[in-house]
Amino acid sequence: MDSQVDITEDDLRFEEEVHREPYKIKGWQRYIDYKQESKSNGRPVTILFERALTRLPGSYSLWHQYLNHRLSQLRTLNAAHSIEEYRRVTLCFERALLHLHKMPRIWLMYTDHLSQMADVTMARRGFDRALRALPVTQHRLVWPRYLRFARRVGGIVTERVYSRYLLMWPEKSEELVDWCITQGRWAEAARRLVAEIDAGRGGSAWRRLAQIMRAQPGAVAGLRVEAILRDGIGRGMGELWPALAAHFVARGLMEQARDVYEEAVGKVGSVKDFAMVFDAYAAFEETGVTAALEAGAERVAAGGTANELMMDLRLLRLERLMDRRPFLANDVVLRQNPNSVAAWLKRVSLWQEKSADARIIATFEEALKRVVPDKACDGKLSELWLAYAAYFGESGRLDEYRSVMDRAVAAPLGSKEELADLYVSYAESEIARGSVETARRVLTLGTAHVAKSLRVWALLIDLEEAAGSVVATRAAYDRVVELRIATPQTIVDYAQFLEDHQFFEDSFRVFERGITAFGYPVAIDLWNVYLARFVKRYGGEKLERTRDLFEQALAGCPPAYAQSLYLAYGRLEEEYGLARRALRVYERAALGVAKGRKLEMYRYYVAKTAELLGLPATRPVYERGIEELGDVDAVELVL
């Protein structure tokens, strides 16, 4: 082959190097690079590659470059017309694979080359050889090309290739299904989907099978359609119900299709699935009505009479279905969560629209049996009891109302708060009807069952104040304070009640109990009300006792809350005591209030000193303020 090459003077230095070291790739590589850069025609480079590979037949780098060089010469040639040229390149690949049969890149180049040729068998065998030669871990490089080639060829080749492919990756079966659908091979696609379902790899296979059934009913002939779809439905795929009904419709079994729809609307477990099933059911009934009308029109046109009974029956079925829709939708919600209070109340309202008394009572009873108190959601169980009782109360059936409320307060509930709601509502309804004794009995029972509920006690107290005795009212107030559930407002109300009935000392003792129970900062409000009422009651008659009360209030009061007490104390001394005692109180206030209020208090102290003793007496006050206050506040004071 060397004799066929014209060697130029520029080639001599490369020839000398490769003759001197014929088994070193660097010399051959430099020679090849030089030839390719000099824009030599293809033949000299090809001969040079052949010479190099004769010396180094196992060099991957040389073979890879050589094969790319030979493939580049085919880019402008048509495989159908240049068979010989393609055959020569094929032989080059065969020679390369004798030495490099474990190199995936060479196999990929070879299979791509074979895929361009017209010989399908040779290409298929080339892919098969690549799969046999390469380890399994590298098959993922070959299969995408093999599948692309098989899809282009089509027919039995595609099926056989995919069958082998799915042995390795069975989860990829949807690719074959997609190809079958694009080729219009519906029966094969359905068969493959059924095989996937039987193998336990259903996933979306049920849905796709349903789509095929709707589009091509004949494609599923001979398959166990009903069993397959019911299996999917049993796994929670409610969207398969319309497909099952459509299967019977395609076979002309309309009654069986209607039975499927009825079963579906009674079993679907989600609102989304219900909407889909109901729409399909309604469309099915509408189709039946349309068919009946068209059949009647044809009979009339032929001189006969229309079957009006059949048309009326079809219309009645459609109307009843639409009337049932709210109830069926509510059934779905209750199947999802039978503890939904809102759903049960919605069902009651649906029956109320139809004025079905027996149905309303039955619904309430069923709801109260099925709702678990601790799991009630979208509302409280007590709301169901109250709605049930209100139904009887609004219609004036008081015996039934009281019977329901008595059952309600004795039934298990989710919390004590719910029980308190029942007692309060029960008592309020009795009060509204004028049954004071019944309301008192209910509230007394309520205070025994939910002793810590201030709402129940507050209603009982209001009732006793309005229609009971002073003794009973005081007993109720005392019990609230003993249970430690009283609020500051409760203390004030109790004291006001005693004061209204001339029990002044008892009223003051209630304030003292409240102050002891709450402590600061809540106690400051009670002290203010207590001291104001004490001063209003006695004025200057019990001045020493009043002073003792103020001193008690100030003894434990934090500086942040003491200002109002000091001011009230000072006003007491101004009105009923001595001016100098009042100024001493204001002096204590200026020293005892919080830091942020000292400037305000000193200004008040200065003003009162000037008012009571005259302007010259304010000098010591100013001096004391300047010592106590910071620089900024001191300047504010004297300006």
Side-chain angles (χ1 to χ4, degrees):
M1 188 177 290
D2 291 355
S3 61
Q4 299 175 4
V5 181
D6 294 331
I7 300 175
T8 64
E9 292 183 3
D10 293 335
D11 297 339
L12 290 177
R13 57 191 180 95
F14 294 107
E15 288 289 340
E16 290 176 359
E17 183 178 3
V18 297
H19 278 288
R20 186 171 59 252
E21 296 178 327
Y23 298 107
K24 287 190 177 181
I25 192 173
K26 290 184 179 180
W28 290 107
Q29 188 66 57
R30 280 193 289 267
Y31 198 178
I32 292 169
D33 291 343
Y34 164 72
K35 281 293 186 181
Q36 289 178 331
E37 291 172 2
S38 63
K39 308 292 185 183
S40 298
N41 58 31
R43 180 172 175 74
V45 177
T46 300
I47 294 175
L48 185 56
F49 269 117
E50 291 286 353
R51 290 173 58 198
L53 290 169
T54 302
R55 301 293 189 274
L56 299 165
S59 172
Y60 172 80
S61 176
L62 286 176
W63 274 114
H64 188 263
Q65 294 179 70
Y66 181 34
L67 294 173
N68 277 322
H69 168 69
R70 294 301 297 268
L71 290 173
S72 66
Q73 295 176 336
L74 300 179
R75 287 175 186 164
T76 59
L77 302 179
N78 188 305
H81 300 108
S82 305
I83 298 175
E84 184 61 26
E85 286 78 0
Y86 271 82
R87 187 187 65 80
R88 290 172 185 168
V89 175
T90 301
L91 292 175
C92 287
F93 273 107
E94 292 292 344
R95 288 165 52 208
L97 290 171
L98 288 174
H99 304 284
L100 304 173
H101 61 282
K102 293 296 183 181
M103 296 297 174
R105 176 52 54 187
I106 303 299
W107 280 110
L108 296 179
M109 293 170 63
Y110 187 26
T111 54
D112 288 345
H113 166 69
L114 294 176
S115 298
Q116 297 176 8
M117 299 174 65
D119 194 337
V120 174
T121 301
M122 180 180 289
R124 181 173 55 78
R125 289 175 178 173
F127 280 111
D128 292 343
R129 288 172 59 198
L131 292 172
R132 286 195 295 268
L134 296 175
V136 175
T137 54
Q138 294 178 345
H139 284 192
R140 60 182 178 81
L141 302 174
V142 179
W143 275 113
R145 288 174 165 80
Y146 200 177
L147 295 175
R148 190 161 54 246
F149 163 76
R151 286 194 296 268
R152 191 171 74 245
V153 174
I156 191 66
V157 173
T158 306
E159 291 186 24
R160 295 294 174 82
V161 171
Y162 264 108
S163 297
R164 291 176 56 196
Y165 173 64
L166 295 178
L167 292 176
M168 286 293 294
W169 290 282
E171 68 277 5
K172 303 288 187 179
S173 62
E174 288 195 6
E175 295 181 16
L176 178 56
V177 173
D178 292 337
W179 177 80
C180 290
I181 292 174
T182 57
Q183 298 296 313
R185 306 181 68 167
W186 302 100
E188 178 64 19
R191 188 180 65 80
R192 290 285 178 179
L193 289 171
V194 171
E196 283 296 298
I197 293 171
D198 291 340
R201 297 187 297 271
S204 62
W206 277 289
R207 299 183 182 91
R208 302 197 68 182
L209 182 61
Q211 293 170 0
I212 292 175
M213 289 171 55
R214 284 194 290 266
Q216 299 290 331
V220 296
L223 298 178
R224 301 169 290 108
V225 174
E226 184 174 1
I228 293 169
L229 292 180
R230 284 193 177 277
D231 183 28
I233 290 168
R235 296 170 186 264
M237 298 182 184
E239 64 269 28
L240 299 181
W241 283 109
L244 180 57
H247 168 66
F248 288 111
V249 171
R251 295 168 57 189
L253 304 174
M254 299 303 176
E255 290 303 320
Q256 286 87 334
R258 183 174 290 105
D259 291 342
V260 168
Y261 278 123
E262 283 294 332
E263 183 183 359
V265 295
K267 288 186 176 180
V268 288
S270 70
V271 175
K272 178 182 176 182
D273 289 344
F274 170 77
M276 181 177 55
V277 170
F278 187 86
D279 290 343
Y281 192 5
F284 169 77
E285 293 292 358
E286 288 173 0
T287 302
V289 171
T290 303
L293 293 174
E294 291 176 353
E298 290 176 0
R299 286 192 176 192
V300 171
T305 58
N307 190 346
E308 294 184 2
L309 181 61
M310 180 58 68
M311 289 189 290
D312 291 343
L313 177 61
R314 296 287 178 85
L315 286 170
L316 180 61
R317 281 176 173 170
L318 180 58
E319 290 173 1
R320 288 190 60 192
L321 177 63
M322 302 311 293
D323 289 342
R324 290 166 55 206
R325 190 185 195 289
F327 292 93
L328 294 172
N330 183 256
D331 283 339
V332 176
V333 177
L334 290 175
R335 279 197 295 275
Q336 285 181 316
N337 185 5
N339 295 304
S340 174
V341 174
W344 283 110
L345 293 176
K346 174 64 177 176
R347 191 167 191 82
V348 169
S349 68
L350 292 174
W351 286 120
Q352 285 178 330
E353 292 174 3
K354 295 183 177 296
S355 301
D357 182 73
R359 290 283 192 173
I360 293 170
I361 296 172
T363 300
F364 272 121
E365 292 293 341
E366 183 182 2
L368 294 170
K369 288 179 182 177
R370 293 182 61 185
V371 175
V372 179
D374 295 337
K375 297 181 179 180
C377 61
D378 302 326
K380 301 176 181 177
L381 183 57
S382 58
E383 295 177 18
L384 268 177
W385 282 109
L386 291 173
Y388 191 10
Y391 172 70
F392 291 117
E394 291 168 359
S395 59
R397 297 150 71 176
L398 298 183
D399 291 339
E400 288 91 338
Y401 168 82
R402 290 185 177 117
S403 174
V404 170
M405 290 304 297
D406 289 339
R407 287 172 57 195
V409 296
L413 297 168
S415 65
K416 290 288 187 181
E417 187 64 27
E418 291 186 56
L419 184 56
D421 291 340
L422 291 174
Y423 276 115
V424 169
S425 298
Y426 194 180
E428 286 177 344
S429 65
E430 294 295 344
I431 293 171
R433 295 185 180 92
S435 302
V436 176
E437 289 304 320
T438 304
R440 183 181 286 111
R441 177 184 62 80
V442 170
L443 290 171
T444 303
L445 188 62
T447 56
H449 288 167
V450 280
K452 292 284 188 176
S453 175
L454 183 59
R455 291 177 57 211
V456 178
W457 279 108
L459 186 57
L460 178 59
I461 289 170
D462 291 343
L463 180 63
E464 294 294 357
E465 283 189 28
S469 63
V470 174
V471 175
T473 306
R474 292 188 64 173
Y477 269 120
D478 288 336
R479 185 59 179 157
V480 169
V481 176
E482 290 172 7
L483 291 171
R484 306 182 72 85
I485 59 175
T487 64
Q489 187 60 49
T490 306
I491 298 298
V492 173
D493 291 342
Y494 188 12
Q496 183 64 51
F497 171 77
L498 293 172
E499 185 177 332
D500 292 342
H501 289 81
Q502 306 299 312
F503 296 105
F504 295 104
E505 289 300 324
D506 290 342
S507 169
F508 299 146
R509 279 193 288 273
V510 168
F511 275 116
E512 291 171 0
R513 291 171 66 186
I515 290 167
T516 303
F518 289 107
Y520 291 95
V522 176
I524 188 65
D525 295 324
L526 293 177
W527 271 118
N528 287 330
V529 177
Y530 177 20
L531 293 171
R533 292 186 179 179
F534 192 90
V535 172
K536 180 181 178 181
R537 168 67 180 161
Y538 293 112
E541 295 179 10
K542 297 185 178 183
L543 191 57
E544 288 303 320
R545 182 180 171 187
T546 308
R547 286 171 178 161
D548 288 342
L549 289 176
F550 272 106
E551 292 297 337
Q552 290 177 32
L554 291 169
C557 184
Y561 308 104
Q563 184 175 3
S564 62
L565 292 176
Y566 279 118
L567 293 176
Y569 194 2
R571 285 193 295 271
L572 172 73
E573 293 293 350
E574 287 184 47
E575 293 180 14
Y576 304 107
L578 300 174
R580 291 193 176 277
R581 290 184 68 97
L583 292 177
R584 282 199 295 272
V585 171
Y586 293 137
E587 181 181 5
R588 289 172 58 193
L591 298 173
V593 298
K595 184 176 180 180
R597 295 176 177 259
K598 284 183 177 293
L599 175 60
E600 177 186 353
M601 199 62 240
Y602 265 108
R603 284 176 171 170
Y604 189 83
Y605 182 19
V606 169
K608 285 296 181 180
T609 302
E611 178 185 340
L612 298 175
L613 299 181
L615 194 61
T618 61
R619 182 183 181 88
V621 179
Y622 276 116
E623 292 175 352
R624 184 68 178 270
I626 292 170
E627 292 177 3
E628 290 291 329
L629 299 174
D631 294 341
V632 177
D633 288 344
V635 172
E636 290 287 334
L637 177 64
V638 300
L639 289 178

